[in-house]
Amino acid sequence: MLSIARLTFMEVFRKRIFLVTLLLSVLFILLYGVALDFVSEELRTQSMRGSQLILQQIIGSQLLGAGLYFSSFLLALLAIMGSVGAIASELENGLLHAVVSKPIPRREIVLGKFLGYGSMLAVYALVLYTAVLVLNQYYSPAVLSLLTAGGLISGALVFILQPLVLLGVALVFSTLLRTLAAGIISVILYGLGMIGGFLEQVGSAIANASLINIGIATSLVMPSDALFRKMLTFVTGNEANPLSSLSLGPFGVNVPPSNAMLVYTCLYIAACVCLAVYSFERKDL
């Protein structure tokens, strides 16, 4: 299993999707840094008595949320497009038949691929997470004034969970369907999670129980957006921030998910891996 995980980890670096995501990430970080530089310079030159702190809090929170949100999007792109062919594509081109014919339990193949892709995604997530926070600390330190060591570590762990959820889903469909179909369904589920999270935030803002329930139900199907909101809560110290209501918006958090969502997500990932193993072991090759 560890050998398959190591080979999978190395194989990812040779895939075009990794190179594309890497280039997009570098471009994003450069543009994001330039945007933060312009915004911080503009805020420094403005003399808005009494309202400058509030304005900095609003703009800083939105920019921090936007940076982490688009980082999550890049990770989702890499998690789905990189792993959706982990089983299906290798079966289609015959590579996996050579592995299956050897005395290697099929569950070790699936687990090895999950560990390989998961390790790569965890490293990539930590790099993006660190880059966004360092840029914000340099240009807009006020928005991270409530960030503690515990919040920093908790935020990083939750940030890593986001691509692992999508990896688990992609592996399940990769054992059930052809590569294209598995990729389309995984992307649709990811989009569903985004829409559900948005509806829940809107529902909380206008106190609409129906929208909140739809959002919660959607998060149970695809918890990626709920994880983003939870991670943002750790990073900004939202629950302890008296100005947290000013950070609402498309990249803000109105009502953060509970810790039970983190437990549910871990069980969700484990269930996806077990289902992928079950499906692959019974697949007629």
Side-chain angles (χ1 to χ4, degrees), residues 180-212:
L180 181 59
I184 291 174
I185 294 176
S186 299
V187 170
I188 290 175
L189 284 175
Y190 175 65
L192 187 68
M194 293 171 62
I195 295 172
F198 179 74
L199 290 178
E200 185 178 355
Q201 296 303 311
V202 171
S204 299
I206 63 175
N208 186 301
S210 297
L211 285 178
I212 294 174

Side-chain angles (χ1 to χ4, degrees), residues 76-149:
L77 176 69
L78 182 60
I80 294 176
M81 303 308 293
S83 64
V84 75
I87 302 294
S89 179
E90 294 190 10
L91 284 176
E92 291 167 12
N93 58 32
L95 288 176
L96 205 53
H97 288 88
V99 179
V100 174
S101 62
K102 296 180 179 178
I104 301 176
R106 291 190 184 185
R107 64 176 179 278
E108 291 194 7
I109 296 175
V110 176
L111 292 175
K113 289 190 174 294
F114 180 82
L115 287 177
Y117 281 111
S119 301
M120 181 275 298
L121 289 169
V123 173
Y124 205 90
L126 282 177
V127 171
L128 283 177
Y129 179 80
T130 303
V132 171
L133 292 192
V134 167
L135 285 173
N136 277 275
Q137 180 63 33
Y138 181 77
Y139 288 109
S140 182
V143 75
L144 295 175
S145 58
L146 296 178
L147 178 62
T148 62

Side-chain angles (χ1 to χ4, degrees), residues 5 23 43 55 57 76-77 93 165 176 213 219 280:
L23 290 174
L43 290 176
L55 182 63
Q57 181 71 25
L77 176 69
N93 58 32
V165 168
L176 295 171
N213 292 332
S219 295
F280 188 55

